[in-house]
Coordinates of all heavy atoms in Angstrom, one line a residue:
E9 N 48.1 48.3 12.0 CA 47.2 48.0 10.8 C 45.8 48.2 11.1 O 45.2 48.2 12.2 CB 47.4 46.6 10.4 CG 48.7 46.2 9.6 CD 48.8 44.9 9.1 OE1 47.8 44.4 8.7 OE2 50.0 44.3 9.1
E10 N 44.9 48.4 10.0 CA 43.5 48.5 10.1 C 42.9 47.3 9.7 O 43.3 46.6 8.7 CB 43.1 49.8 9.4 CG 43.5 51.1 9.9 CD 42.9 52.3 9.2 OE1 42.3 52.2 8.1 OE2 43.0 53.4 9.8
F11 N 41.7 47.0 10.3 CA 41.0 45.8 10.0 C 39.4 46.2 9.9 O 39.0 47.0 10.6 CB 41.2 44.7 11.2 CG 42.5 44.3 11.3 CD1 43.5 45.0 12.0 CD2 43.0 43.2 10.7 CE1 44.8 44.6 12.2 CE2 44.3 42.6 10.8 CZ 45.2 43.4 11.6
R12 N 38.7 45.4 9.1 CA 37.3 45.5 9.1 C 36.6 44.5 10.2 O 37.1 43.3 10.1 CB 36.7 45.2 7.7 CG 37.1 46.2 6.7 CD 36.5 47.5 6.9 NE 35.1 47.6 6.5 CZ 34.2 48.5 6.6 NH1 34.6 49.6 7.2 NH2 32.9 48.4 6.2
V13 N 35.8 45.0 11.0 CA 35.4 44.0 12.1 C 33.8 44.3 12.3 O 33.3 45.3 11.8 CB 36.0 44.4 13.4 CG1 37.5 44.1 13.4 CG2 35.8 45.8 13.8
I14 N 33.2 43.4 12.9 CA 31.9 43.5 13.4 C 31.7 44.0 14.8 O 32.4 43.3 15.6 CB 31.0 42.2 13.1 CG1 31.0 41.8 11.7 CG2 29.7 42.2 13.7 CD1 30.4 40.5 11.4
V15 N 31.0 44.9 15.1 CA 30.9 45.5 16.4 C 29.8 44.6 17.2 O 28.6 44.6 16.8 CB 30.5 46.9 16.5 CG1 30.3 47.4 17.9 CG2 31.5 47.8 15.8
L16 N 30.3 43.9 18.2 CA 29.4 43.0 18.9 C 28.7 43.7 20.1 O 27.6 43.6 20.5 CB 30.1 41.8 19.5 CG 30.6 40.9 18.4 CD1 31.3 39.6 19.1 CD2 29.6 40.4 17.5
R17 N 29.5 44.7 20.7 CA 29.0 45.4 21.9 C 29.6 46.9 21.8 O 30.8 47.0 21.6 CB 29.5 44.8 23.2 CG 28.9 45.3 24.5 CD 29.5 44.6 25.7 NE 30.8 44.8 25.9 CZ 31.7 44.0 26.2 NH1 31.4 42.7 26.5 NH2 33.0 44.3 26.4
P18 N 28.8 47.9 22.0 CA 29.2 49.2 21.8 C 30.0 49.7 23.1 O 29.9 49.1 24.1 CB 28.0 50.0 21.7 CG 26.9 49.2 22.5 CD 27.3 47.8 22.2
S19 N 30.8 50.6 22.9 CA 31.5 51.2 24.1 C 30.5 51.9 24.9 O 29.4 52.3 24.5 CB 32.6 52.2 23.6 OG 32.0 53.1 22.7
E20 N 30.7 51.8 26.3 CA 29.8 52.4 27.2 C 30.0 53.9 27.5 O 31.1 54.5 27.2 CB 29.9 51.7 28.6 CG 29.7 50.2 28.4 CD 28.3 49.8 28.2 OE1 27.4 50.6 28.3 OE2 28.1 48.7 27.5
A21 N 28.9 54.5 28.0 CA 29.1 56.0 28.2 C 30.1 56.4 29.2 O 30.7 57.5 29.2 CB 27.8 56.5 28.6
D22 N 30.5 55.4 30.1 CA 31.5 55.7 31.1 C 32.9 55.4 30.6 O 33.8 55.4 31.4 CB 31.2 54.9 32.4 CG 31.3 53.4 32.2 OD1 31.6 53.0 30.9 OD2 31.0 52.6 33.1
G23 N 33.0 55.2 29.3 CA 34.3 54.9 28.7 C 34.7 53.5 28.6 O 35.8 53.2 28.1
A24 N 33.9 52.5 29.1 CA 34.3 51.1 29.1 C 34.4 50.7 27.6 O 33.6 51.1 26.8 CB 33.3 50.3 29.8
A25 N 35.4 49.8 27.3 CA 35.6 49.5 25.9 C 34.5 48.6 25.4 O 33.7 47.9 26.1 CB 36.9 48.7 25.8
G26 N 34.3 48.7 24.1 CA 33.3 47.8 23.4 C 34.0 46.5 23.0 O 35.1 46.2 23.4
E27 N 33.3 45.7 22.2 CA 33.9 44.3 21.8 C 33.6 44.3 20.3 O 32.5 44.6 19.8 CB 33.2 43.2 22.6 CG 33.7 41.8 22.3 CD 33.0 40.8 23.0 OE1 31.8 40.6 22.9 OE2 33.8 40.1 23.8
V28 N 34.6 43.8 19.6 CA 34.5 43.6 18.1 C 35.0 42.2 17.8 O 35.6 41.5 18.5 CB 35.4 44.6 17.4 CG1 34.9 46.0 17.7 CG2 36.9 44.5 17.8
Y29 N 34.6 41.8 16.6 CA 34.8 40.4 16.1 C 35.5 40.7 14.6 O 34.9 41.2 13.7 CB 33.5 39.6 15.9 CG 33.8 38.3 15.3 CD1 34.6 37.3 15.8 CD2 33.1 38.0 14.1 CE1 34.8 36.0 15.2 CE2 33.2 36.7 13.5 CZ 34.1 35.8 14.0 OH 34.3 34.5 13.4
L30 N 36.6 40.1 14.6 CA 37.5 40.1 13.4 C 37.3 38.7 12.8 O 37.6 37.7 13.5 CB 38.9 40.4 13.7 CG 39.9 40.2 12.5 CD1 39.6 41.2 11.3 CD2 41.3 40.6 13.0
A31 N 37.0 38.6 11.5 CA 36.7 37.2 11.0 C 37.9 36.5 10.5 O 37.9 35.2 10.6 CB 35.7 37.3 9.8
D32 N 39.0 37.2 10.1 CA 40.1 36.5 9.7 C 41.4 37.2 10.0 O 41.7 38.2 9.5 CB 40.1 36.4 8.1 CG 41.2 35.5 7.6 OD1 41.8 34.7 8.3 OD2 41.5 35.7 6.3
P33 N 42.2 36.7 11.0 CA 41.9 35.4 11.8 C 40.7 35.7 12.7 O 40.6 37.0 13.2 CB 43.2 35.1 12.6 CG 43.8 36.5 12.7 CD 43.5 37.3 11.4
P34 N 40.0 34.7 13.1 CA 38.8 35.0 14.0 C 39.2 35.4 15.4 O 39.7 34.6 16.1 CB 38.1 33.6 14.0 CG 39.2 32.6 13.8 CD 40.1 33.3 12.8
V35 N 39.0 36.7 15.7 CA 39.4 37.2 17.0 C 38.2 38.0 17.6 O 37.6 38.8 16.9 CB 40.6 38.2 16.8 CG1 40.9 39.0 17.9 CG2 41.8 37.4 16.2
L36 N 38.0 37.7 18.9 CA 37.1 38.6 19.7 C 38.1 39.5 20.6 O 38.9 38.9 21.3 CB 36.2 37.7 20.6 CG 35.2 36.9 19.9 CD1 34.6 35.9 20.8 CD2 34.0 37.8 19.4
A37 N 37.8 40.7 20.6 CA 38.7 41.6 21.4 C 38.0 42.9 21.8 O 37.0 43.3 21.2 CB 39.9 41.9 20.6
R38 N 38.6 43.6 22.8 CA 38.0 44.9 23.1 C 38.4 46.0 22.2 O 39.5 45.8 21.5 CB 38.6 45.3 24.6 CG 40.1 45.4 24.6 CD 40.5 45.7 26.1 NE 40.1 46.9 26.6 CZ 40.8 48.0 26.5 NH1 42.0 48.0 25.7 NH2 40.4 49.1 27.0

């Protein structure tokens, strides 16, 4: 499924994952 999220931290140039915040349910994830 697709979700609308807020990007808290961008992905890095070396390929490291970023971090997003989903409001409902409230989830912080890579």
Side-chain angles (χ1 to χ4, degrees):
E9 289 188 30
E10 292 188 342
F11 298 84
R12 296 290 285 174
V13 298
I14 294 171
V15 180
L16 299 184
R17 189 182 67 222
S19 49
E20 302 294 337
D22 61 4
E27 184 179 59
V28 296
Y29 174 62
L30 171 64
D32 185 21
V35 171
L36 289 166
R38 62 186 292 273

